[in-house]
Amino acid sequence: LGFECFLRPGEMLGLRWSDVDVPQASSPGIVRLVDTKTSRRTGAPEVLTFKDPFTISLYLALELRRSKHDSPLLPVFTGTEADFRAKFKILMAMQGAGSRGLRPHSVRRGGATACFRATGSMSRTVERGRWATTRVARLYICDGLATSLEHKMSSAMKSRLREDIRQV
């Protein structure tokens, strides 16, 4: 969700089960962000959609694994910020990307870069990323493009990732 919706690390940590809805595996998912820079300024939550089939199936698999007795107000990730960073580091190492210097904020940058590459539209990327100005979005995207040239994902790494997901 962080990659698809360009979430900031704090937004990823703040997600509750009740903030995400996937009505059906074939329909877009919805994410409601209550506490963001923009929502604090406007007083209204932000709402994003995601359509990526992989993200939808992974979310649905995780949702099935959670206890039916858990409150929907519980966070999706129940650990601390330090736990999140440690688990992120472990997952990157498992995928063979441990030496690449990726951090949780890299997820937002990578999502924005992928969107820009797919659409070729800066304005669409700025809107989806919820940036106030194009200047800030350009910094993210230019850095992401430069980094992606340095860190192309190997086919072996992609295969490992697909296999890990199947096991979830």
Side-chain angles (χ1 to χ4, degrees), residues 1-84:
L1 285 172
F3 184 86
E4 284 299 312
C5 297
F6 313 170
L7 301 181
R8 296 170 182 99
E11 293 167 349
M12 287 187 267
L13 283 167
L15 276 181
R16 297 169 299 177
W17 290 104
S18 61
D19 294 330
V20 183
D21 184 39
V22 179
Q24 302 172 23
S26 60
S27 61
I30 300 164
V31 177
R32 180 180 60 135
L33 300 173
V34 179
D35 188 24
T36 67
K37 289 180 182 180
T38 305
S39 69
R40 282 182 230 124
R41 195 170 51 243
T42 64
E46 296 183 84
V47 178
L48 307 166
T49 60
F50 59 99
K51 299 176 187 174
D52 178 61
F54 176 77
T55 305
I56 289 171
S57 62
L58 180 60
Y59 176 78
L60 290 172
L62 289 172
E63 191 175 43
L64 281 174
R65 291 184 71 181
R66 85 178 175 101
S67 169
K68 297 297 177 195
H69 303 291
D70 287 347
S71 166
L73 299 177
L74 282 176
V76 174
F77 183 82
T78 56
T80 66
E81 185 177 341
D83 294 336
F84 182 76

Side-chain angles (χ1 to χ4, degrees), residues 96-156:
S99 63
R100 295 184 179 192
L102 298 173
R103 304 283 184 263
H105 72 269
S106 304
V107 173
R108 178 171 166 80
R109 188 163 296 189
T113 302
C115 178
F116 178 72
R117 290 178 96 170
T119 65
S121 170
M122 181 61 73
S123 62
R124 194 166 165 190
T125 305
V126 168
E127 182 179 331
R128 183 143 178 89
R130 303 166 286 126
W131 284 286
T133 67
T134 303
R135 184 184 67 77
V136 176
R138 281 187 197 281
L139 293 173
Y140 270 75
I141 293 165
C142 289
D143 184 59
L145 289 170
T147 303
S148 69
L149 290 173
E150 294 172 15
H151 305 298
K152 288 199 180 219
M153 187 181 287
S154 71
S155 58

